Amino acid sequence: MHASNAEIETLTCKAAVGVGLPAGLAEDAGVAAAWLSGAGFAGADIACRAIENIRKGRARPVIISGHTASLCPDTKGKLASVMYAAPSLFDFLQTTSRVTVARLDEPLLLFSHLVCSSSVRAMELVLHSVGSTGKVLQGVIQRGHGRLEGPPFSDQEAKNGSEVSVTMVGGSQDRNFKPTKKESETRRAAIQRGVEVTEAIWAELQRLAAHTLVPESATSKQRGAGAGMIDND
């Protein structure tokens, strides 16, 4: 099946809220998933995995480890949830030039989050991620645009997580971040035709999103569900 970027963003956000993620973090996750989808990656699949990691207890929020700019899971033996780590990492970059995250579950979702966040500041970031078997993901981010170096792939070793560092290198004037022809065509196709999503992933996101719903009743409407008891607009 095909879905638009807007549909992926909205459903990802609702599914994240459905497993207990705060609304602001869920909105960030939706935006990041949509960016990945528009760039030709399986954004819905990756976001669904990250949400399931939270729901099943495999991934946890992050805390500051012994080093000032180093994040790790708040529970030993768990993964660091990218949905909690991404906004914390970006906040750290306002005051320091390098931040690390231990055992991160979905590095590609972190990459897309940073791309979307970097548009608010004139900064250039380098992300370097090493999975448990040595697989490397590296990309450069500048002012709302990101480019991965080397052959693309869908994920890293989710079981043990990845060791990730993000370094701010300033605003380089030499690096050309004008979208390539292939990148432009990929995004144009995503807008015009939507992106392919497996029915199983879509159904799972819908199932998780349904946790935000309540049975329709006079009581639920009085407490704010739906359009309310009186809808004259």
Side-chain angles (χ1 to χ4, degrees):
M1 62 169 289
H2 284 77
S4 69
N5 286 338
E7 289 173 322
I8 291 172
E9 177 180 341
T10 300
L11 188 56
T12 296
C13 177
K14 289 182 178 180
V17 171
V19 300
L21 202 70
L25 300 188
E27 291 173 358
D28 289 344
V31 171
W35 186 91
L36 277 179
S37 296
F41 296 96
D45 297 58
I46 295 169
C48 188
R49 283 201 305 265
I51 294 170
E52 286 284 18
N53 284 341
I54 295 173
R55 184 182 71 84
K56 295 180 179 180
R58 289 193 294 257
R60 294 283 303 166
V62 294
I63 58 174
I64 302 172
S65 70
H67 302 287
T68 304
S70 181
L71 302 174
C72 65
D74 68 357
T75 303
K76 187 176 181 179
K78 301 293 184 179
L79 299 176
S81 168
V82 66
M83 295 190 173
Y84 287 96
S88 298
L89 188 151
F90 190 76
D91 286 345
F92 261 120
L93 288 171
Q94 312 309 306
T95 58
T96 188
S97 61
R98 186 175 186 271
V99 184
T100 62
V101 187
R103 294 176 58 83
L104 187 71
D105 60 347
E106 295 289 346
L108 265 179
L109 202 59
L110 173 62
F111 181 79
S112 59
H113 184 286
L114 293 174
V115 170
C116 298
S117 299
S118 70
S119 60
V120 303
R121 281 193 61 191
M123 57 167 54
E124 183 174 330
L125 306 172
V126 175
L127 180 146
H128 183 81
S129 173
V130 182
S132 58
T133 61
K135 185 182 290 185
V136 175
L137 167 70
Q138 182 157 310
V140 181
I141 300 157
Q142 186 185 76
R143 300 182 184 182
H145 185 76
R147 184 165 295 152
L148 293 172
E149 299 178 357
F153 54 91
S154 61
D155 55 43
Q156 287 183 285
E157 297 80 6
K159 183 177 180 181
N160 296 312
S162 300
E163 304 302 308
V164 180
S165 67
V166 178
T167 305
M168 182 163 63
V169 295
S172 172
Q173 301 299 318
D174 299 326
R175 196 185 297 272
N176 180 15
F177 269 84
K178 182 179 179 180
T180 64
K181 181 179 179 180
K182 182 178 179 180
E183 289 171 339
S184 298
E185 289 176 347
T186 298
R187 292 209 169 271
R188 188 180 303 113
I191 293 171
Q192 294 175 346
R193 299 192 295 271
V195 296
E196 190 170 344
V197 182
T198 64
E199 292 187 4
I201 290 295
W202 199 251
E204 180 61 13
L205 289 173
Q206 288 179 321
R207 186 185 69 80
L208 296 172
H211 292 164
T212 63
L213 304 177
V214 296
E216 182 179 354
S217 67
T219 300
S220 65
K221 289 184 177 180
Q222 286 176 341
R223 293 180 177 178
M229 298 296 288
I230 300 175
D231 185 10
N232 293 326
D233 57 1

